[in-house]
Amino acid sequence: QVQLVESGGGLVQPGGSLRLSCAASGSLFGAATMAWYRQAPGKQRELVAGITVGGSINYADSVKGRFTISRDNAKNTVYLQMNTLKPEDTAVYYCSADIIGVHYWGKGALVTVSS
């Protein structure tokens, strides 16, 4: 069993920055494809960014150039650095792990971008 715990959410003004962290329990983090998803009110959950075991990265078009995903396997942690935030980035952000075909989710971290 893998547990994922997100932190770093909060309220930020447009144009500001936040960094989300996701700490994973267990010994299989190094074998996991990690990703961040988000779900805005009234909308479906969408992929924001993903990073494979080998370090391949993909981003949603809406966040390219503004968000950066990274992982620290020694700390069992994945990060999402979010810069130049916009009101439309407001959502609950979820960390996910895909380990040998089994998908795990964190409980989410709320990010609110508002003046």
Side-chain angles (χ1 to χ4, degrees):
Q1 188 74 7
V2 174
Q3 289 187 325
L4 304 173
V5 179
E6 301 98 337
S7 61
L11 173 65
V12 63
Q13 291 187 342
S17 298
L18 280 176
R19 188 177 81 154
L20 301 180
S21 300
C22 172
S25 65
S27 59
L28 297 178
F29 181 83
T33 291
M34 302 299 298
W36 288 95
Y37 287 76
R38 67 186 181 186
Q39 187 166 17
K43 294 188 176 181
Q44 290 189 332
R45 192 172 296 189
E46 62 175 357
L47 175 67
V48 175
I51 183 167
T52 68
V53 172
S56 296
I57 291 173
N58 65 293
Y59 295 100
D61 287 343
S62 59
V63 306
K64 282 181 181 176
R66 301 188 297 122
F67 290 12
T68 302
I69 189 172
S70 61
R71 66 190 295 163
D72 185 336
N73 289 341
K75 295 182 178 180
N76 279 14
T77 302
V78 64
Y79 304 96
L80 185 68
Q81 177 66 42
M82 304 184 292
N83 298 327
T84 319
L85 283 160
K86 304 175 181 180
E88 52 263 43
D89 294 318
T90 294
V92 177
Y93 285 71
Y94 296 92
C95 176
S96 78
D98 191 320
I99 303 174
I100 316 175
V102 180
H103 210 89
Y104 300 89
W105 292 97
K107 293 184 177 180
L110 177 63
V111 172
T112 303
V113 184
S114 175
S115 55

